[in-house]
Amino acid sequence: MTELPTTVPKAGGIFARLDTEWAELCEEASVRAAVTDWLMTDDLADDVAAVTDSWVRTLGPEQLLAALRPGRGVLSDALTDAVLRSLLVRATGHDRSATLAARIIVQAMLPAAVRMTRGQVRGTGGRSWDDVGHMVIVALFEVARSGRIHTRPGRPAANLALDALGRVCRELAADREPDGEDLAAAEHLADPTPGPVARAHAAAIREAAHAAGLTTEETAVGEAEAGSARLELLELVLEAMEHGSISPADGQAIAWHYTTAPVPDAQAAHHAGTTAVAWRRRRSRAVDRLKSRWNPAA
């Protein structure tokens, strides 16, 4: 059984401590052996070795992290997603091996964690950088262990970040004041200026939608756009894809069309390798399935 290091983190911020702990983790022979065994068992070793210019038997946490944080033109999205899904499956266990898998996932998600922390510190105030950072890391670890993400379609990293951010936003809203529950509920009241929780949620939805191919380019979330119909549509489509009601291609057919700048059917069809007529039929059927999901009695 894999034994995790028990060293005390050095002084510094939460992210600096995690990086220090990671360096120590990479030196553990048992950890390196576990990573090699995982990649071999899941038939990922050859691909990871090829793109990291490594020998299969020397694969360790460093190579695994490289596969989870690909550089442009080095690793494919397919391999990155496959490696992350493999770790997410292992993280659902109840032994030290599962804890190690979740810890590696957290390390891979640190860039996203820093962005989430920065957004929440700026948006809410009253909490220190380290306090919010700790909340984000705990949320990522808990979501990684939950067993929910690896079964979803689309990009698992985006789904993981979205769920973790949702937990952090709810926790911050609940303890912002003694009447935190009332404040959290107030986020749903009509207001022309969305609050920080709504803006963070909107940003997370946009990121997940872009990762799932529902948007054709990354766009910033404006103040007035956080509660828009477009955002609600993307969230409905993402949830329907998660539950298998519609396929990723169905989701694209809907999301690419129902927007302020729709992708022409001919262009979308060419991208999908089909005809414009077939693409329109796909969209029509997908819309019907989406409607039946939310209106089963209709």
Side-chain angles (χ1 to χ4, degrees), residues 137-207:
I137 295 302
V138 169
L140 282 170
F141 187 85
E142 290 177 346
V143 173
R145 295 292 307 273
S146 69
R148 296 182 55 206
I149 305 302
H150 69 272
T151 59
R152 296 183 186 180
R155 301 294 302 277
N159 288 327
L160 179 62
L162 179 60
D163 275 20
L165 181 58
R167 291 191 181 206
V168 172
C169 288
R170 288 191 294 271
E171 186 173 346
L172 286 171
D175 70 359
R176 202 173 300 150
E177 296 287 347
D179 298 324
E181 291 185 3
D182 293 335
L183 286 176
E187 285 283 348
H188 300 288
L189 298 178
D191 188 339
T193 305
V197 175
R199 292 197 301 272
H201 179 70
I205 290 292
R206 292 282 184 179
E207 182 179 350

Side-chain angles (χ1 to χ4, degrees), residues 12-32:
I14 179 65
F15 301 111
R17 294 198 301 272
L18 287 171
D19 281 337
T20 298
E21 179 186 275
W22 175 255
E24 296 170 353
L25 196 67
C26 291
E27 297 299 321
E28 292 287 320
S30 59
V31 171
R32 302 189 68 84

Side-chain angles (χ1 to χ4, degrees), residues 119-148:
Q120 293 309 302
V121 169
R122 288 175 178 172
T124 58
R127 285 272 196 161
S128 71
W129 169 272
D130 222 38
D131 284 344
V132 177
H134 187 267
M135 292 171 62
V136 170
I137 295 302
V138 169
L140 282 170
F141 187 85
E142 290 177 346
V143 173
R145 295 292 307 273
S146 69
R148 296 182 55 206

Side-chain angles (χ1 to χ4, degrees), residues 112-126:
V114 171
R115 291 194 298 271
M116 283 190 274
T117 301
R118 184 180 298 116
Q120 293 309 302
V121 169
R122 288 175 178 172
T124 58

Side-chain angles (χ1 to χ4, degrees), residues 48-289:
V48 172
V51 296
T52 57
D53 195 23
S54 308
W55 184 45
V56 170
R57 283 297 176 184
T58 64
L59 292 176
E62 305 97 323
Q63 289 74 29
L64 194 56
L65 186 62
L68 293 169
R69 292 185 187 172
R72 176 171 295 183
V74 178
L75 296 174
S76 69
D77 288 341
L79 177 58
T80 302
D81 291 350
V83 172
L84 181 53
R85 287 187 188 281
S86 172
L87 283 174
L88 286 165
V89 171
R90 294 185 180 280
T92 62
H94 302 285
D95 56 11
R96 289 183 179 273
S97 179
T99 303
L100 173 60
R103 176 63 183 86
I104 294 173
I105 292 169
V106 168
Q107 190 69 26
M109 295 295 292
L110 282 191
V114 171
R115 291 194 298 271
M116 283 190 274
T117 301
R118 184 180 298 116
Q120 293 309 302
V121 169
R122 288 175 178 172
T124 58
R127 285 272 196 161
S128 71
W129 169 272
D130 222 38
D131 284 344
V132 177
H134 187 267
M135 292 171 62
V136 170
I137 295 302
V138 169
L140 282 170
F141 187 85
E142 290 177 346
V143 173
R145 295 292 307 273
S146 69
R148 296 182 55 206
I149 305 302
H150 69 272
T151 59
R152 296 183 186 180
R155 301 294 302 277
N159 288 327
L160 179 62
L162 179 60
D163 275 20
L165 181 58
R167 291 191 181 206
V168 172
C169 288
R170 288 191 294 271
E171 186 173 346
L172 286 171
D175 70 359
R176 202 173 300 150
E177 296 287 347
D179 298 324
E181 291 185 3
D182 293 335
L183 286 176
E187 285 283 348
H188 300 288
L189 298 178
D191 188 339
T193 305
V197 175
R199 292 197 301 272
H201 179 70
I205 290 292
R206 292 282 184 179
E207 182 179 350
H210 183 71
L214 300 183
T215 58
T216 54
E217 61 181 11
E218 291 191 75
T219 54
V221 180
E223 291 288 328
E225 201 174 1
S228 68
R230 170 65 173 170
L231 180 67
E232 293 176 6
L233 173 66
L234 291 175
E235 190 167 12
L236 288 176
V237 170
L238 284 168
E239 187 167 345
M241 288 168 58
E242 174 189 342
H243 290 87
S245 302
I246 61 175
S247 68
D250 292 338
Q252 288 179 342
I254 295 173
W256 289 6
H257 181 72
Y258 294 102
T259 179
T260 55
V263 177
D265 287 340
Q267 180 181 333
H270 178 74
H271 178 84
T274 185
T275 65
V277 172
W279 184 255
R280 285 192 290 270
R281 288 174 179 168
R282 173 186 286 278
R283 181 171 63 245
S284 178
R285 291 192 297 267
V287 169
D288 287 342
R289 284 194 291 272

